[in-house]
Amino acid sequence: MSIEDKIILKIRDLSVSTDGNQILNGLNLTVKKGETHAIMGPNGSGKSTLAKTVAGHPDYLITSGKIKFLNKDLSSMSVNERSNLGLFLGFQYPIEIPGLSNTAFLKAAINAQRKFYDLEDISAHDFLLQLKSTADQLGLDQSFLSRGVNEGFSGGEKKRNEIMQMLMLNPKLSILDETDSGLDIDSMKVVARGVNSSRSEDSSTIIITHYERLLNYLVPDYVHVFFDGKIIKTGNLELANELEKKGYEWLIQKK
Amino acid sequence: MTTQQNKEINEFLDKNYEFGFTTEIDSETLPPGINEDVIRIISSKKNEPEFLLNWRLKAFAYWKTLKTPEWSQLNINPIDYQSISYFSQPKQTNAPKSLDEVDPKLLETYEKLGIPLHERAQLAGVAVDAVFDSVSVITTFKDKLAEAGVIFCSFSEAVQDHPQLIKKYLGKVVPYRDNFFAALNAAVFSDGTFVYIPKGVRCPMELSTYFRINEAKTGQFERTLIIADEDSYVSYLEGCTAPMRDENQLHAAVVELITLNNAEIKYSTVQNWYPGDEQGRGGIYNFVTKRGDCRGNNSKISWTQIETGSAITWKYPSCILRGENSKGEFHSIALTNNLQQADTGTKMIHLGKNTKSKIISKGISAKQSQNTYRGLVSMAKGASDSRNYTQCDSLLIGNKSGAHTFPSINVKNSTSVLEHEATTSKISDDQLFYCQQRGINEEDAIGLIVSGFCKEVLRELPMEFAVEARALLQVNLEGAIG
Ligand SMILES: Nc1ncnc2c1ncn2[C@@H]1O[C@H](COP(=O)(O)OP(=O)(O)O)[C@@H](O)[C@H]1O
Ligand SMILES: [Mg+2]
């Protein structure tokens, strides 16, 4: 296997603006198969911007640089195609779609992916079986599946729902944007277990978080510190522990 | 938006109305124009009894005294009533006795529309009456229905076989004096559907009529009359399509429903007449009067409509809640795209004690289209302890479309309760992005979001048709964003 084949995501010199404001400033990041990366950093430093740019949100304009996902240039690829190829974004603020049942939505998502790979629609039976066991695994009640997508969900339910979608879609790269924010310890453990169960040699995860707590469960291979639209330091779990104690100030000042 | 997305959207935009084909068929069409002779010809072609001819002539005399109505929210090209042909029928000397006698081209037409008339190929449990231009082509499952005592036939047949029922009920719910189009319809109606469910019978299958306009420069004027006798139940569905033509064609139908004690009629419409092109050329003018009379105590009428077609839709399926404890419901989805205009809603007229009505209206407007809900809830003095619940939701797609809501109430007693809720929302970019991030393309995403928005109405449709209705919403939304 060549080096290129082992790389899932390669970001080179990426600058991004939105509404005329430069948010990302020459960012570099390489994620290989099987790796888990954590991104930490102060509010407003551009972490969500990075996640949405990789996913192809139309509000974010790439002013320079390149993003390659599975060795394919993403610049002209539609949002849904990126997803079909195996990119998953766990939203910091999951969106409500009133009236559309969680189940119908997830089934449409799975069938869109299957269509992309020229597969027939999933059978209702297989789908429901898989859905039920995934929901059980995440401690989500059955009634939850027939409710509207994120409609009136609590913060914790929304985040578990994101993880449920991730497990059902079985992506190659998951970017989880503050999936642990607003969760109590038990919910966090459930989410961490969900993420851990999805880890494999061919898939990778980027966790955007403010807390070392989740990272202690997940043990990332790398911890990056994000500031002013780029990575200013990279380390491992120890760096996360240090940030938990000292905050970001010392790093920013050193710079 | 990426170039790929733009390309997809343009492809959808270029897609044509799926049912826009015409059928080459020999037909007999009256020359354009309306006068007493035309009415006499229609009536004699149908071998009608004298009471019916006289009724038509009175309606015509009344219609001549009326001016074309003007509507605040609608923009309508003037209609020249002398340039329309009022009668067209496939050339076939006698009414077909069985499917083998029906012109194969006609059968083919309905096959193309996804409505197989061969009974063996039919959806289980649905009997179909197919109306082509002005005339009923065939009604399926007649024998099975006859066993249950149910009459389900074309209006013309009913006039021949059950004149006493026609005489008793015709024009009793929608008199010809009701409005301009009701008067016109009464004068020139050509065919339609008749249903009678006898006492104590629960109709053993769904009944359904498919209307197809084919001829150019003709109008379609059909009448539907459904009577549910005491303790009976029926669920009825109508669907409709038309070829693409540059000129506007007029469809002015009348539907009358009557429920006696403890009877229930569930009436569903999936309206998909040709809506015109993106520039607003052509399309059907759908001016329809629909009303149900809950005459009996504890009786119920519910209207469910999915209105996606027509250049202009003007209809207010209504309920007169006369019987004590009677119930009226109106569940509506009206979707407009491009330059379509819809002005639709309902009237719930509470007359009896302890009557209940429910109105759920979902309007979806895309492109430059205009979508209006207009409703009236009236509680008469004698309608004590009555209740109404009204919910009007509008969904806008893009920035150029319009949604308008005109609910009015008229309450004459102090014990009735009315509740009203209204919302207006937009499909947000974030909702689309969320769906697309889960792998769903933009068109499908819009379809899913809209079907969520319409959930409460879609679930009122019989199962077989809910799937069809969802697909129809999606098709009619193609090119909605761009
Ligand atoms: N759609 C947008 N329009 C305008 N400004 C934005 C938009 N998205 C993000 N920003 C701005 O970009 C900066 C980075 O935001 P974000 O990526 O959400 O940071 P983080 O996720 O690290 O908290 C903030 O100043 C934010 O206000
Ligand atoms: Mg963020």
Side-chain angles (χ1 to χ4, degrees), chain B residues 287-358:
Chain B
F287 301 155
V288 173
T289 307
K290 292 183 164 173
R291 195 171 304 147
D293 185 0
C294 283
R295 219 177 258 190
N297 294 342
N298 309 308
S299 67
K300 179 174 174 187
I301 289 178
S302 84
W303 299 99
T304 301
Q305 58 173 21
I306 318 295
E307 303 283 324
T308 61
S310 298
I312 301 176
T313 294
W314 173 92
K315 62 181 278 203
Y316 313 92
S318 302
C319 297
I320 300 167
L321 302 170
R322 202 186 299 276
E324 285 180 18
N325 311 312
S326 62
K327 273 190 193 141
E329 289 182 5
F330 174 73
H331 310 268
S332 170
I333 298 170
L335 182 153
T336 52
N337 196 357
N338 295 314
L339 290 160
Q340 279 177 277
Q341 307 172 67
D343 194 309
T344 184
T346 186
K347 289 181 206 164
M348 293 291 173
I349 313 293
H350 294 251
L351 301 178
K353 275 186 206 147
N354 199 26
T355 47
K356 290 194 178 65
S357 64
K358 181 160 108 181

Side-chain angles (χ1 to χ4, degrees), chain A residues 3-155:
Chain A
I3 275 280
E4 288 298 309
D5 290 336
K6 283 189 194 150
I7 293 176
I8 283 209
L9 182 73
K10 187 171 181 176
I11 299 177
R12 281 290 159 271
D13 197 27
L14 183 69
S15 294
V16 169
S17 70
T18 182
D19 258 356
N21 299 318
Q22 187 85 8
I23 313 288
L24 300 187
N25 299 298
L27 174 90
N28 289 295
L29 177 66
T30 301
V31 177
K32 298 208 202 70
K33 284 185 183 168
E35 290 179 349
T36 299
H37 291 235
I39 294 180
M40 306 181 79
N43 288 330
S45 58
K47 303 180 300 293
S48 294
T49 300
L50 170 65
K52 289 194 218 165
T53 304
V54 172
H57 195 295
D59 284 355
Y60 299 90
L61 182 71
I62 297 181
T63 51
S64 73
K66 252 197 179 6
I67 309 173
K68 278 186 159 184
F69 174 55
L70 298 169
N71 214 11
K72 289 189 176 69
D73 183 6
L74 286 188
S75 56
S76 66
M77 201 185 283
S78 70
V79 177
N80 39 294
E81 199 177 343
R82 295 175 202 216
S83 164
N84 294 151
L85 280 174
L87 178 70
F88 182 89
L89 172 59
F91 283 64
Q92 184 175 358
Y93 304 109
I95 309 295
E96 296 194 6
I97 308 177
L100 176 63
S101 82
N102 233 353
T103 304
F105 177 66
L106 203 44
K107 195 165 174 205
I110 283 177
N111 283 334
Q113 190 184 50
R114 292 177 66 91
K115 193 170 167 195
F116 183 80
Y117 292 106
D118 281 327
L119 296 170
E120 278 174 29
D121 281 1
I122 191 168
S123 81
H125 178 259
D126 290 356
F127 172 73
L128 288 174
L129 225 58
Q130 203 184 331
L131 185 64
K132 197 181 166 319
S133 82
T134 310
D136 284 350
Q137 183 189 341
L138 295 169
L140 289 168
D141 191 72
Q142 294 299 304
S143 67
F144 178 86
L145 301 174
S146 52
R147 283 165 64 185
V149 177
N150 293 318
E151 193 181 356
F153 288 13
S154 71

Side-chain angles (χ1 to χ4, degrees), chain A residues 174-214:
Chain A
S174 305
I175 305 176
L176 304 178
D177 192 355
E178 298 203 21
T179 300
D180 53 341
S181 294
L183 295 187
D184 59 37
I185 297 200
D186 291 337
S187 302
M188 162 115 64
K189 280 186 190 160
V190 170
V191 165
R193 250 183 266 133
V195 174
N196 272 332
S197 76
S198 77
R199 283 164 92 168
S200 75
E201 279 182 12
D202 322 302
S203 67
S204 315
T205 313
I206 298 175
I207 314 267
I208 298 173
T209 182
H210 284 299
Y211 310 105
E212 65 157 347
R213 233 170 25 181
L214 178 68

Side-chain angles (χ1 to χ4, degrees), chain B residues 23 45 54 65 116 127 170 275 409 457:
Chain B
T23 307
K45 273 189 184 301
N54 289 338
T65 68
L170 175 72
I409 55 172
V457 176

Side-chain angles (χ1 to χ4, degrees), chain A residues 207-227:
Chain A
I207 314 267
I208 298 173
T209 182
H210 284 299
Y211 310 105
E212 65 157 347
R213 233 170 25 181
L214 178 68
L215 301 182
N216 287 334
Y217 289 110
L218 297 181
V219 194
D221 301 290
Y222 301 95
V223 173
H224 308 285
V225 179
F226 220 77
F227 182 71

